[in-house]
Amino acid sequence: RAKEIKTKLGTLLQKPDSVIEFITPYPEKPEKPHKVQKPTPEEALQWRDSLEKLLQNPYGLASFRSFLRSEFSEENAEFWVACEDYKKTKSPMKIAEKAKKIYEEFIQTEAPKEVNIDHFTKAVTMKNLVEPSPSSFDMAQKRIFALMEKDSLPRYVRSEFYQELIK
């Protein structure tokens, strides 16, 4: 527990170089910066009922990640984004590389940003990684999505982060 808190505090103390790091937390190659545009209050209101819409909006994702960081649970969004990036990978060599990186960063026991998944999901994910494919992390990603939807999203909607957006 102390190690986990120390790791999370260390993450908090690192200042990002730009807003782009919030949007593309898992870049494999430099990308052109996204044009981050503040959503209209109407757009932001849709996020209350759809975590998917929130995560697909660059501004929404950045805001949600800032909120999660304030709650020491940013690893969930980071894992979700890393999985989305992973699924788009075409090269078998890159797939294996990214799978290893995601496993070491988020799945393995005592990983620096270990996500909270049950033993069955972890076992299935590890089995899938014997021969990595674009769907290797699907079960774990669905579990983390459900956790964020059920737990983090309702708190985010009540937070100042969100309330400022819908004014």
Side-chain angles (χ1 to χ4, degrees), residues 30-113:
E31 292 180 13
K32 289 182 181 169
H34 296 11
K35 192 81 173 162
V36 182
Q37 196 169 358
K38 189 173 181 178
T40 64
E42 292 74 28
E43 281 178 289
L45 276 170
Q46 294 178 357
W47 301 344
R48 271 193 311 215
D49 306 314
S50 175
L51 179 59
E52 200 164 316
K53 283 184 182 176
L54 169 65
L55 295 174
Q56 288 172 352
N57 180 293
Y59 197 99
L61 177 60
S63 173
F64 188 57
R65 287 192 60 206
S66 294
F67 168 73
L68 291 176
R69 188 174 301 109
S70 76
E71 291 205 325
F72 301 99
S73 61
E74 184 185 10
E75 69 279 353
N76 293 330
E78 285 186 26
F79 174 69
W80 186 87
V81 170
C83 289
E84 288 299 293
D85 176 63
Y86 173 80
K87 288 191 274 191
K88 295 174 191 161
T89 307
K90 302 288 182 233
S91 155
M93 193 120 138
K94 278 278 188 200
I95 284 179
E97 238 175 72
K98 286 183 179 185
K100 182 179 189 291
K101 188 173 181 180
I102 291 171
Y103 172 77
E104 289 173 351
E105 195 169 349
F106 299 103
I107 304 292
Q108 77 181 6
T109 306
E110 299 294 317
K113 298 176 184 177

Side-chain angles (χ1 to χ4, degrees), residues 120-134:
F120 176 74
T121 303
K122 188 180 266 194
V124 167
T125 302
M126 288 168 65
K127 187 178 171 203
N128 290 345
L129 293 176
V130 172
E131 287 185 41
S133 74

Side-chain angles (χ1 to χ4, degrees), residues 107-119:
I107 304 292
Q108 77 181 6
T109 306
E110 299 294 317
K113 298 176 184 177
E114 187 176 1
V115 290
N116 186 11
I117 54 175
D118 58 88
H119 291 290

